[in-house]
Amino acid sequence: MQVLSFPALLAGVFLTVLPVAGAARNASPTDDLDPIVVTATLGPETVGESLSSVTVIKQDDIERQQPEEFGDLLRAQPGVNVVSDGSYGKTTSVFLRGAGSSGTILLLDGIRLRSATAGIPPWQFLPPELIGKVEVVRGAKSSLYGADAVGGVIQAFTLEPEAGRQGWVEVSGGSHDTRGTSVGVAGREGRSSLLIGGLYSDTDGTELREGGEDRGFRNAAGLAKVTHDFEQGGGVGATVFQSQGNTEFEGGDTDFMIRAAGLYLEAVASDYWRTRIQFSESRDEQETFGTYPSVFDTVSRSARWENTLTAGVHELLLGSEFMVDEVDGSSQFAEDSRTNAAVFGQARLNFDATDLMFSMRLDDNEAYGKEETGGIALGHQFDPSHRLRLSYATSFRAPTFNDLYLEVPSDFGSYFGNPDLDPEKGAMVEVGFSGRYDSWFWDVAVYQNDVEDLITYVSDPVTFDGTMENVETARIRGIELSSGFQTADWDINAAITYADTENRDTGKRLPRRAEKNIRLDVDRLFAGWSLGASVIAESDRYNDAGNTTLLAGYGTMDLRAAWEFLPGWSAGLKVANVFDRRYATSLGYDSTTFEPFEYLAAGRTFMASVRYDFGR
């Protein structure tokens, strides 16, 4: 399928929001258009104050869009490519600003989720029903978060107790014999709050390849969190999240379990000093049955201490972090654990209309040694509505346990990890400019990221034995444009991304990244009900590093409606992929013939839900 040219897409998106520009001039932004974020600088600030490029997906957006998968929220957002091996719980990769699938960090309430063996987060197993907000921070952030923040950081925040809402029950069903149930209770008393929620979903799924069988997905997830705020400031809280189930694919199925548990304590030591400590553990366990059976279990435990010192409008943050990764399973690893110790600091300085930020971090990893990263950013507010930002930052991606230590002997070509691998290293420069008004905003960012020592699979042409080596470099540059308009009756958000990714050693495009993305979300709000649509289009992409297999671009439209028909009662209806486009974002290979096939996304689907919120 052909998609529109980039200039045409650019014109089409911004024609939807420019007619409203005259309605707001030289006014301060509203809270909804300029929300508070914490991921970009480890402290609260508005999107307009941030020196990073940030997209916030609020709880109202999630509820209106009725996503079936977490990846639906991220698809074609500014700087984001989402690649899936089909729909409904299938392997999903997120490429942020062209960085590799293991070059983007996923946090859940500050707890990092990932497989230490494969190196990628379990995007496909994170249920959107338990998510209250998402912050997408684009740009190198290793100086704050350490390894793998090459393209940026995506943080999902679980549901929070709301004033007056005591709980909920929701049932849903739709195409492919899909059904789900979500329940929860929540409460807030004084400075204390409690939320317990859970869900169960099941679907027969769709065919993953032309003429194939339907491949299903089953997921049961739960969330429990409790917090207490101290009278003098700060507080204590604990979160436990778990998602487990089974997903089917071509050639077998996988039982999975992901878990995140965290405990934090934050205290105000003085008028100038705030301290916070967090202990966390995350698990990623997967047992695969079928043609290639395997077991991969990983656990990461960490302790993080942050101290924030203030002097008037200036702020200094100093911290340390200690992490232990452990792996187990059916495969052999030369090493099954490693530790990482880090110290980091960040200075945020304000001089009237000009802001400066400096950040540095030193990581000392048992497997690959010391890595130093840093960043500098400048912002200047020309007037109440217009702001310029400039930044430069370095980053690195750590080699995974599979890269370093995995051993897979075979008569037809063995694989052995390379314990001498160095981390991939990136350096990103960015220029951004934004305008924020009463009811609308616009933002443009231009960046370039140069990455060295890419970790690449190489094999012997005679024995076919393979390993990983640092043999390539890459240049990634692009432009991101976004705009939004919000009133009591309308909520419109638009984004366009262009990314030029190149392997500097071969001259080829980096695989699985689309050059051009567009996303448009439009919702018309009425008294008690709403109508909405989402349009997503992506250009073609190569599935392989040699640029021999090209996947065509695609465009889809989703339609949705919501109705609050009685106090506390609401219903939702969504038709996804209205025009029934059959498209693929990745290829698979037949286990018998080794012939490639396209992993097909679901065609047109229908979903309906009914929900009751207690005390609302």
Side-chain angles (χ1 to χ4, degrees), residues 14 35 100 141 161 166 192 248 254 318 343 364 411 445 461 492 497 516 573 616:
F14 282 89
K141 291 296 176 184
Q166 300 168 352
S192 301
E248 299 174 344
T254 296
L318 300 173
V343 292
D364 187 1
D411 295 333
I492 302 174
T497 299
K516 298 178 279 288
L573 174 65
R616 191 175 188 181

Side-chain angles (χ1 to χ4, degrees), residues 66-237:
Q66 304 172 47
E68 295 183 50
E69 299 186 80
F70 184 70
D72 295 339
L73 295 172
L74 303 177
R75 198 176 301 275
Q77 294 286 0
V80 180
N81 272 177
V82 177
V83 173
S84 300
D85 293 348
S87 300
Y88 299 110
K90 305 308 179 276
T91 300
T92 299
S93 299
V94 174
F95 299 86
L96 188 55
R97 283 198 169 171
S101 56
S102 54
T104 299
I105 287 179
L106 170 63
L107 300 175
L108 182 73
D109 289 345
I111 304 167
R112 184 169 177 183
L113 291 178
R114 83 190 196 286
S115 166
T117 52
I120 60 175
W123 307 96
Q124 66 272 22
F125 302 143
L126 196 61
E129 295 90 342
L130 298 179
I131 302 302
K133 187 177 77 166
V134 181
E135 295 179 5
V136 181
V137 180
R138 305 184 295 281
K141 291 296 176 184
S142 287
S143 58
L144 296 181
Y145 293 99
D148 307 336
V150 179
V153 178
I154 297 176
Q155 179 157 204
F157 297 87
T158 55
L159 295 172
E160 293 283 353
E162 295 182 23
R165 177 183 284 187
Q166 300 168 352
W168 72 91
V169 176
E170 181 176 7
V171 294
S172 60
S175 303
H176 315 300
D177 201 17
T178 300
R179 51 206 174 271
T181 303
S182 175
V183 298
V185 294
R188 184 179 294 276
E189 182 69 29
R191 296 187 178 87
S192 301
S193 68
L194 171 70
L195 184 145
I196 300 175
L199 66 89
Y200 177 83
S201 62
D202 192 4
T203 179
D204 289 346
T206 62
E207 62 180 16
L208 300 184
R209 60 186 297 183
E210 196 70 43
E213 298 180 3
D214 292 343
R215 303 296 180 179
F217 176 59
R218 182 182 71 253
N219 184 22
L223 168 69
K225 60 192 305 182
V226 58
T227 65
H228 177 75
D229 298 330
F230 300 142
E231 183 176 358
Q232 67 273 23
V236 61

